[in-house]
Amino acid sequence: MSTPRISVLMPVYNAAGTLPETLQSIAAQTLGDFEVIAVDDGSDDDSGKILEAWGRGDRRIQQVRAGRVGLVEALNLGLSRCRGEWVARMDADDRMRPDRLARQAALLDARPDISVAGSLVEIFAEGAVGEGMKVYQAWLNSLVEPGDIAREIFIESPIAHPSAMVRRDELFELGGYRDAGWPEDYDLWLRYHAAGRRFAKVPEVLLYWREHGDRLTRTDPRYSVENFLRVKAHFLVNGPLQDRDGLIVWGAGQTGRRLTRHIVRMGRPIDAFVDISPRKIGSRMREAPVIGPNELSSTWNRYRRPMLIAAVSSRGARKLIREALKDTGLTEVEDYLCAA
């Protein structure tokens, strides 16, 4: 077989109810120069039979039987079989628009500085989509250009994994997928970011992302809030916080306490907290003083090159904090980052 331009990498586990719909959406792509590497991760339903039947009818669809190895190992096994210049992720319960592969390939062709091409997404479900997922979808779809994505990358995972297309060689250079006890997709995007790679999205919905109670993000402890905080702390301490002689955290509430617990465990002390609550101002947390916003400038000026982390989860509060820091003369990314 000739080498395809795109490899669609799709792990499959007990997806018989949705897999035919997913495969149909892939087979209907306007750009036909692709292969599908479908890794059957030990399914005990009819997923394997469905893949076999589709493979007989379409040689581009290749089944890889993995046994039950888990998501990360299944992804790496599939990646080792991918031959395309680009790797497009897909999940076995989602749908892609017919021009998804063509539009993302065009973006990567036109912009060699971009390593990860995503798209806008539309979340769907058998019933109503929850309010939290609607908020996440709106946030995801507001991030399109590299600067937007880099600015927000420590808030949440800024690319829906099954919407991504990456350059295969770069993914290998970065070590593929890894299981560090936290979300493997967020870990991957943070490694891309730490390596100076850039992200962009096709500004249209190209992926229909299925929401249901059995998703790994709902059932696997790696995707818990605590593990999201752990991965953020790891990459903050080993990235933006290096060579900073002062660390100020805006937010002495629950999110700030939980995030800084992991930061301190990694050996990075907190120099001050900022909070607006009169009850908290003047107290101490993590052996650091809690100050009011009016004391920030004087505290900031004690250090040669400090960094501030805004760790308040409310989107409305985040906007107000950004406005206050801008008024103080601080620049986002260079002087401060939002991490909640």
Side-chain angles (χ1 to χ4, degrees), residues 188-204:
L188 182 62
W189 305 145
L190 288 169
R191 280 189 283 139
Y192 267 91
H193 179 69
R197 310 298 168 86
R198 287 157 60 87
F199 307 75
K201 295 177 185 175
V202 176
E204 296 180 41

Side-chain angles (χ1 to χ4, degrees), residues 156 181-186 215-232 258 261-262:
E156 241 294 13
W182 49 54
E184 83 293 332
D185 52 346
Y186 196 20
R215 282 178 54 193
L216 279 179
T217 51
R218 302 286 189 192
T219 62
D220 192 314
R222 289 178 301 173
Y223 302 94
S224 68
V225 171
E226 206 65 29
N227 281 325
F228 268 95
L229 293 171
R230 283 203 309 127
V231 68
K232 290 178 190 181
R258 293 174 74 177
R261 178 169 65 244
H262 297 295

